[in-house]
């Protein structure tokens, strides 16, 4: 492999890693925001103790998920997903089919097509970075 091809490969790997880390951090922040929303909601449910308890439990669970997501690297998350798929391949296939069907449904909606293209497909620069 040429030196230039190796540089392009390393550049792409670095960009993909940076993008994945950025998206992971955004997901952790979004999960923490959902946990906060559950906490705030539960404070206004004094007359409904079982709903309040459910919101508080959801807040704890989502908060724990956000913390776990923030503390793990992209590689650790990828390995955990791979292990889960190997343990339960049927469930993984069903989840993939369901996610694919949902994405297909959303992608067919004209008002969301542009949004999906901007948000899902990262802009990756394939030019090699100059050596420092």
């Amino acid at each position: 492999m040429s030196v230039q091809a190796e540089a392009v490969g390393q550049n792409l790997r670095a960009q993909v890693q940076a993008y994945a880390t950025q998206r992971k951090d955004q997901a952790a922040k979004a999960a923490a925001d959902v946990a906060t929303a559950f906490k705030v909601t539960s404070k206004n449910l004094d007359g409904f103790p079982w709903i309040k308890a459910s919101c508080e439990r959801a807040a704890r669970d989502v908060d724990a998920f956000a913390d776990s997501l923030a503390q793990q690297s992209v590689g650790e998350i990828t390995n955990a997903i791979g292990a889960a798929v190997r343990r339960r391949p049927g469930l993984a296939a069903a989840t993939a089919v369901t996610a694919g069907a949902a994405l297909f449904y959303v992608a067919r909606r004209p008002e969301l097509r542009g949004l999906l293209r901007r948000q899902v497909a990262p802009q990756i620069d394939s030019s090699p970075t100059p050596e420092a």
Side-chain angles (χ1 to χ4, degrees), residues 6-132:
E6 183 68 30
V8 169
Q10 288 177 351
N11 185 29
L12 283 173
R13 276 190 292 278
Q15 287 183 42
V16 168
Q17 181 69 29
Y19 178 77
T21 301
Q22 177 187 17
R23 297 299 290 192
K24 176 197 69 94
D25 293 342
Q26 289 172 346
K29 172 76 171 97
D33 291 346
V34 169
T36 300
F38 275 125
K39 290 173 190 172
V40 169
T41 300
S42 70
K43 291 179 183 177
N44 297 322
L45 295 171
D46 289 332
F48 306 95
W50 65 274
I51 297 174
K52 181 176 182 168
S54 294
C55 281
E56 289 170 347
R57 188 175 329 109
R60 283 191 306 270
D61 291 347
V62 173
D63 209 18
F65 172 73
D67 289 343
S68 173
L69 191 58
Q71 293 173 0
Q72 292 182 14
S73 71
V74 173
E76 291 170 330
I77 294 169
T78 303
N79 291 340
I81 291 170
V85 167
R86 285 188 294 280
R87 280 192 311 272
R88 310 269 313 262
L91 179 61
T95 302
V97 167
T98 302
L103 185 59
F104 178 74
Y105 172 76
V106 170
R108 290 192 54 192
R109 299 194 55 146
E111 64 270 15
L112 298 177
R113 282 189 186 143
L115 177 67
L116 280 174
R117 287 190 185 112
R118 287 190 303 274
Q119 295 295 321
V120 174
Q123 301 298 319
I124 297 179
D125 178 20
S126 63
S127 61
T129 55
E131 299 294 324

